[in-house]
Amino acid sequence: MKILIVGYFSEISKLNILRCFPQEWNIVVVPPGKEMLDHIEDCDVIIPEHIQVDHSLLSTAKKLKLVQTGAGFDNVDVPACTEFGIWVANAAGVNAQAVAEHVMALIFSYYKNIPFLDTFMKNKMDENHLDYRGSELQGKTIGIIGLGAIGKKLAAFCKAFDMNVLAYARNIDVQSNGFVTMTDIDTLVSTSDIVSVHIPLNQQTKHLINKAVFNKMKDSSLFINTSRGGIVNEKDLIDALKNGDISGACLDVFESEPLPLDSELRNMENVILTPHTAGMPDGRKFHKKRYDFFITNIKRVENGEEPESKLNQIL
């Protein structure tokens, strides 16, 4: 069994990944590029980051049985995989705790002005001239777009801080917790103090959050995105922040990653940025729980079973 893992990993991360897998498997960890192409033809499983798994790539993957992703799968052409008889599965929910905690950290950082206060203290500024503006969470309304594993975990956290929780789900079969009020997206964005996005990126959700949405939001509202950058029209977001259509933003994901050095977002005082780390439970870009799930799924496919959290059906 040959497993091809594609992504940008430090040497420490590579070692941690390799330690997870059974020794009898051939594990190859490579960055995107020519070296990756040398291994595509004879790999049985691919775990892809920062590459597109499309028809062209699949046509060279003669032995491929499974494309295994993390929570997101917007880089995988699922219908093409089905056409080639290849399973696609994600790992929905395995990073729910990490992402929900990250969102709460961003909320606290914003409303308690932590980045500003940290800079203030480290620059040894005169505390008699401190212009501090903070806010409590109690009574604020958060609108959660997408009520999957992450959205539900975040809703529970917010309820513990006596916040009002609204949610919108494109899937009408999604059931809310008792303290979550399901609503339509227009009501959610127009009445929430905080709007947090937790949906996958696909053709239906690309640029779902755009100028029209920002215009409906309160000018005092905070926008948070830890899902996928492409869900948001970044130019419209920047304009909304400049024009005061919204109060601020906390962003972990961007339309182009890594975020360009000349991005205006890097210089905006009402924006808090993190480098797509919300789903990481530690600082080494390694997620053991995720890889444990991957291994279980690979073993299922190796034994002729369907993978868990499958995204297609192979006849």
Side-chain angles (χ1 to χ4, degrees):
M1 177 70 70
K2 181 175 181 177
I3 318 299
L4 178 61
I5 304 172
V6 183
Y8 298 107
F9 301 99
S10 67
E11 291 303 316
I12 293 176
S13 294
K14 286 182 182 179
L15 288 174
N16 286 326
I17 290 169
L18 292 172
R19 289 190 186 107
C20 285
F21 288 90
Q23 292 185 353
E24 63 268 22
W25 289 356
N26 179 16
I27 312 300
V28 179
V29 183
V30 295
K34 184 179 183 303
E35 187 178 1
M36 171 197 76
L37 296 175
D38 293 338
H39 295 280
I40 288 291
E41 188 171 354
D42 64 343
C43 70
D44 300 284
V45 178
I46 186 169
I47 301 172
E49 289 187 27
H50 307 294
I51 64 166
Q52 293 296 316
V53 180
D54 53 20
H55 197 280
S56 175
L57 184 145
L58 294 169
S59 65
T60 65
K62 307 298 184 184
K63 296 179 60 180
L64 192 61
K65 303 179 182 69
L66 170 67
V67 177
Q68 175 68 66
T69 74
F73 53 91
D74 47 283
N75 60 326
V76 179
D77 186 336
V78 178
C81 289
T82 305
E83 178 185 335
F84 280 93
I86 299 166
W87 287 110
V88 184
N90 71 341
V94 296
N95 63 351
Q97 181 77 21
V99 175
E101 286 183 5
H102 196 92
V103 174
M104 293 306 298
L106 292 172
I107 290 173
F108 280 118
S109 294
Y110 181 84
Y111 283 109
K112 300 302 179 183
N113 243 323
I114 301 301
F116 165 76
L117 294 175
D118 179 64
T119 300
F120 183 93
M121 294 298 290
K122 289 177 178 176
N123 288 343
K124 304 175 185 178
M125 299 173 71
D126 185 353
E127 293 183 34
N128 292 318
H129 295 101
L130 173 62
D131 181 17
Y132 174 68
R133 300 173 186 177
S135 181
E136 294 182 342
L137 297 185
Q138 185 179 35
K140 280 186 167 53
T141 297
I142 184 168
I144 300 172
I145 300 177
L147 200 63
I150 297 170
K152 288 181 178 178
K153 178 72 71 172
L154 175 61
F157 286 168
C158 291
K159 183 61 178 177
F161 286 94
D162 296 323
M163 299 175 69
N164 305 311
V165 183
L166 303 179
Y168 164 74
R170 293 171 63 86
N171 182 356
I172 60 174
D173 294 326
V174 169
Q175 299 295 312
S176 74
N177 297 325
F179 53 83
V180 177
T181 300
M182 302 300 294
T183 187
D184 61 274
I185 192 167
D186 286 343
T187 300
L188 183 148
V189 298
S190 63
T191 59
S192 296
D193 300 297
I194 305 166
V195 174
S196 191
V197 177
H198 301 283
I199 53 177
L201 174 62
N202 52 43
Q203 290 183 343
Q204 289 72 43
T205 62
K206 183 175 175 60
H207 286 183
L208 177 70
I209 309 300
N210 52 32
K211 180 178 181 179
V213 172
F214 292 124
N215 285 341
K216 292 173 185 174
M217 293 172 65
K218 297 179 181 180
D219 59 11
S220 60
S221 62
L222 171 66
F223 176 73
I224 302 174
N225 188 14
T226 56
S227 184
R228 284 291 187 269
I231 295 168
V232 181
N233 184 313
E234 206 163 276
K235 181 182 182 303
D236 289 353
L237 170 60
I238 291 171
D239 288 344
L241 289 163
K242 284 181 174 179
N243 299 334
D245 297 327
I246 61 175
S247 177
C250 296
L251 308 170
D252 185 60
V253 290
F254 312 95
E255 283 200 90
S256 177
E257 293 185 4
L259 181 66
L261 295 178
D262 61 354
S263 170
E264 291 185 79
L265 292 169
R266 291 183 181 271
N267 300 314
M268 304 183 84
E269 293 184 356
N270 56 344
V271 175
I272 297 175
L273 305 174
T274 55
H276 203 152
T277 53
M280 297 299 166
D282 61 35
R284 297 169 296 171
K285 200 179 181 185
F286 176 67
H287 195 320
K288 186 175 186 304
K289 187 176 180 182
R290 182 192 301 177
Y291 280 94
D292 287 344
F293 181 91
F294 290 172
I295 291 164
T296 298
N297 247 11
I298 293 168
K299 287 180 177 178
R300 289 179 65 89
V301 171
E302 188 179 29
N303 293 332
E305 303 174 50
E306 296 184 350
E308 293 183 25
S309 195
K310 64 183 181 181
L311 301 173
N312 62 348
Q313 182 62 53
I314 303 301
L315 300 177

